[in-house]
Amino acid sequence: GSAKGSNEEAYLFQKLVRLGFGSNNVDHCTRLCHASSVAALLEGIGSGAVSNPVLDVAQAELVIVIGANPVVNHPVAATWIKNAVRRGTRLVVIDPRRSDLARHAWRHLAFHPASDVALLNSLMHVIVTEDLVDRRFIADRTSGYEALAANVARFSPEAMEPVTGIPAATVREVARAYAGSCASMILWGMGISQHVHGTDNARCLIALALMTGQIGRPGTGLHPLRGQNNVQGASDSGLIPMMFPDYQRVTDADARARMAAAWGVPVQRIDAEPGLTVVEVMKAIVAGQVRGMYILGENPAMSDPDAQHARQALASLDMLVVQDIFLTETAALADVVLPASAFPEKTGSFTNTDRMVQMGRQALALPGQARQDLWIVTAMAAQLGLDWSHCGATPTDCRDAAARVWEEMRQVMPSIAGIPWSRLAREHAVTYPCSGDDDPGQPVVFTERFPTADGRGRFVPADIVPPDERPDADYPLVLITGRQLEHWHTGSMTRRTPVLDALEPDPVAMLHPLDLAALGVRPGEPVTIASRRGQVTLYARADEGTPRGAVFAAFCWVEAPANLLTNPALDPVAKIPEFKYCAVRVSAGGEVATRAAAHRH
């Protein structure tokens, strides 16, 4: 499924897979982005959604941004953060790379890559040993604190300094500032989640907020910054192999009974086993366990780790169907391509990173043979024997379809039950949870209790787990992947935009100037990056913000796909790949492929 499509498309797609295909093998890009954050949040506080909107940085005394580069990935949020700093908010940036946002920071903690847990536990060590915790909050609203306190006792800043590279005095200064602030807020990105220990990273951030009572009030809380425009909504809508809509587990008999009743089918029609995640699907194809695949608006030939393996898997399927607005690298491998509708060509709702549900209305007619995504999914359901009537009579007009699907969603999703389509159409944007028409919505949640069985947040201790592979004599550097401002995600849309492509036309690798000098390479010359899985050639760019011993590359370049190099090793809890860390070597020279040649290949 797609995190770029609407809530209604996500909901109908997962329903199609569960009823039409008879399995829970449905997933989307959250498995490559924030699955570990969601897993830790569900475990710790009972909800995978953000506690506070990004704009709450304006009410915070101190803001921590960790494992994220908002200037590149969330420019609007970055502007709000910079404005807050100008008004006196202290900003702490915790990231191995020195991003543009670090120029505005009170403190920048450039820790050694993959030492996140060591650093976060050392922050908590200071808070616990110096008795900076909020004892009343811990007693009234949490459980498991004693085990957490015992665990962090081993992680003094002095003991962790050789591991993290951060001076003990700096750790103590930041810990005291976070705990002592009247309102402290944590925002994080995929630098936290995309590790084999990503769930542990998020557990530590949750524990930091719980032990200091920095949650449940304006200007506080936990905010995993979402990547695609509808990651939150797609996850809420059930595009997850182990969850129905609103995070009801497929293994829960009561949840299956509720979904069967809402969908008007016998409960036996609904699979009780969790499905495969996106990375597991690729392995299952190679093993001969999956023979067909239907991909809506995603590009795994570019976005999956060890992309050559993913491409070989996709090419070996008996049947691959791709539904998209462009002939992406994945669509080029398909047996059938279904021409989809772009955002301004359809009506639907989208849920942003702040839990704000927003209405999008069709503004343009469909081009050529393109069809409304809701119509395509409904037509597919009809061919699979499902009698749905969500869409209008013609392939080009589904204006009322989204409203009908939304009203069905409200019956199975308590989080949006109080937001009828008529209100959404009238107000354009409503923040959930929302109990009814007279409820303005709740931008700040967890004010009195957490949505757990006992209403308490849960501390979960975390130990140091090393990356799946470490640098060695053959592969001495660390590869960090990510996005860049000019080209979004796999570049399937932005690289077709002449202005953006003119700004960044060629693939680049960013290295520290001293590392470039050691290689004998000048900026603009080609370098070849190789891992145990493949190699790519890009143009070198000097970047003092990249730490020595590391190289950064965006994954948008079809002529130099960074994900040919990345490691498919998974976080055991969230099944998210370790995109942010793998061992590589960099050598001078090589020939950078042209985009046309890469597409032909």
Side-chain angles (χ1 to χ4, degrees):
S2 177
K4 298 189 289 292
S6 69
N7 290 320
E8 295 77 23
E9 291 161 2
Y11 173 82
L12 213 59
F13 192 78
Q14 61 87 32
K15 183 179 177 182
L16 172 74
V17 173
R18 291 188 159 113
L19 297 185
F21 296 173
S23 81
N24 291 313
N25 290 343
V26 62
D27 207 358
H28 73 295
C29 75
T30 190
R31 196 68 42 206
L32 306 178
C33 302
H34 266 306
S36 47
S37 303
V38 172
L41 288 165
L42 287 170
E43 172 190 61
I45 60 178
S47 170
V50 301
S51 67
N52 296 59
V54 178
L55 197 53
D56 261 22
V57 295
Q59 301 184 62
E61 288 188 6
L62 183 140
V63 171
I64 291 178
V65 175
I66 179 169
N69 187 357
V71 171
V72 166
N73 291 308
H74 308 89
V76 175
T79 299
W80 291 338
I81 294 169
K82 288 183 280 189
N83 289 343
V85 170
R86 292 188 186 102
R87 290 191 292 266
T89 298
R90 287 200 287 187
L91 172 65
V92 178
V93 172
I94 305 178
D95 199 300
R97 299 178 68 217
R98 183 174 181 84
S99 65
D100 289 342
L101 193 63
R103 294 188 295 110
H104 301 266
W106 168 63
R107 294 290 181 268
H108 173 218
L109 278 57
F111 63 97
H112 296 323
S115 64
D116 316 62
V117 170
L119 176 59
L120 295 172
N121 274 344
S122 67
L123 288 168
M124 287 189 280
H125 173 96
V126 175
I127 293 169
V128 171
T129 57
E130 296 187 7
D131 197 24
L132 303 176
V133 298
D134 186 332
R135 293 199 172 276
R136 182 173 180 178
F137 188 93
I138 291 171
D140 293 345
R141 299 195 56 189
T142 72
S143 64
Y145 171 72
E146 296 303 327
L148 189 286
N151 181 66
V152 301
R154 302 177 290 121
F155 291 87
S156 71
E158 290 74 18
M160 292 300 105
E161 185 172 332
V163 178
T164 66
I166 304 300
T170 302
V171 173
R172 292 186 179 278
E173 182 182 33
V174 170
R176 291 164 184 158
Y178 175 81
S181 161
C182 290
S184 293
M185 190 172 180
I186 302 175
L187 301 97
W188 73 91
M190 283 165 274
I192 282 291
S193 59
Q194 289 180 335
H195 292 277
V196 292
H197 55 270
T199 303
D200 285 334
N201 289 345
R203 285 166 171 161
C204 290
L205 296 177
I206 294 165
L208 266 173
L210 292 178
M211 69 169 47
T212 55
Q214 298 284 13
I215 191 169
R217 296 177 284 113
T220 68
L222 299 159
H223 192 120
L225 291 159
R226 309 303 186 185
Q228 306 273 24
N229 62 300
N230 203 34
V231 167
Q232 185 66 58
S235 301
D236 295 344
S237 301
L239 271 183
I240 305 177
M242 62 286 296
M243 303 281 191
F244 294 125
D246 253 12
Y247 308 98
Q248 305 172 80
R249 295 195 175 274
V250 300
T251 53
D252 184 337
D254 291 339
R256 292 197 304 277
R258 284 192 295 272
M259 297 309 300
W263 289 344
V265 299
V267 71
Q268 294 79 10
R269 283 278 304 276
I270 300 179
D271 189 5
E273 294 297 320
L276 299 174
T277 65
V278 290
V279 178
E280 291 174 325
V281 164
M282 298 303 172
K283 296 178 180 178
I285 294 170
V286 173
Q289 298 164 351
V290 169
R291 303 306 315 150
M293 197 168 182
Y294 180 10
I295 298 176
L296 169 61
E298 295 282 358
N299 193 11
M302 285 286 287
S303 61
D304 272 28
D306 193 4
Q308 190 60 37
H309 176 270
R311 294 174 182 187
Q312 290 170 349
L314 293 169
S316 70
L317 286 164
D318 293 342
M319 186 62 159
L320 174 60
V321 178
V322 173
Q323 183 173 327
D324 215 319
I325 59 175
F326 293 117
L327 193 68
T328 64
E329 292 74 27
T330 301
L333 299 170
D335 298 286
V336 176
V337 178
L338 302 175
S341 48
F343 168 79
E345 298 162 1
K346 57 193 172 188
T347 294
S349 66
F350 300 80
T351 307
N352 74 4
T353 190
D354 287 340
R355 291 179 280 106
M356 180 184 289
V357 184
Q358 301 177 89
M359 168 76 79
R361 289 185 171 86
Q362 184 174 354
L364 299 176
L366 289 168
Q369 294 181 303
R371 296 291 183 264
Q372 294 282 349
D373 290 285
L374 284 178
W375 184 88
I376 295 173
V377 174
T378 302
M380 186 75 75
Q383 294 295 318
L384 292 169
L386 300 173
D387 183 18
W388 294 353
S389 57
H390 295 97
C391 287
T394 65
T396 56
D397 185 9
C398 289
R399 291 178 185 271
D400 296 330
R404 289 195 285 271
V405 176
W406 176 264
E407 290 304 318
E408 179 181 325
M409 293 169 63
R410 290 178 59 218
Q411 306 309 309
V412 298
M413 297 175 62
S415 63
I416 62 170
I419 311 175
W421 185 262
S422 58
R423 178 181 179 184
L424 200 56
R426 182 176 68 251
E427 299 183 17
H428 313 300
V430 182
T431 300
Y432 79 78
C434 187
S435 59
D437 260 359
D438 57 346
D439 184 351
Q442 301 173 41
V444 179
V445 291
F446 319 138
T447 55
E448 296 179 0
R449 56 177 284 123
F450 295 103
T452 56
D454 58 4
R456 291 174 173 266
R458 177 187 173 199
F459 288 99
V460 182
D463 208 342
I464 295 177
V465 175
D468 182 71
E469 64 178 27
R470 301 298 292 268
D472 56 23
D474 294 326
Y475 299 94
L477 303 180
V478 172
L479 172 66
I480 304 172
T481 66
R483 302 188 181 104
Q484 63 181 71
L485 179 63
E486 294 79 8
H487 292 304
W488 177 249
H489 211 56
T490 65
S492 61
M493 293 181 287
T494 53
R495 296 203 71 199
R496 289 176 166 86
T497 306
V499 172
L500 296 176
D501 203 46
L503 290 172
E504 280 287 5
D506 299 312
V508 293
M510 298 183 183
L511 293 97
H512 193 278
L514 294 178
D515 284 343
L516 278 180
L519 289 168
V521 174
R522 290 180 297 181
E525 294 180 342
V527 292
T528 297
I529 308 174
S531 76
R532 292 177 174 86
R533 289 155 293 279
Q535 68 177 42
V536 296
T537 302
L538 314 89
Y539 296 108
R541 179 173 292 174
D543 176 33
E544 293 186 353
T546 299
R548 293 212 64 183
V551 55
F552 176 85
F555 59 91
C556 59
W557 311 107
V558 64
E559 57 270 54
N563 281 327
L564 289 181
L565 311 174
T566 48
N567 189 354
L570 300 179
D571 178 313
V573 177
K575 306 293 181 67
I576 193 169
E578 191 158 46
F579 283 115
K580 288 294 184 280
Y581 196 105
C582 74
V584 297
R585 63 171 174 260
V586 179
S587 55
E591 184 176 350
V592 181
T594 66
R595 197 184 319 180
H599 275 296
R600 284 198 302 273
H601 176 70

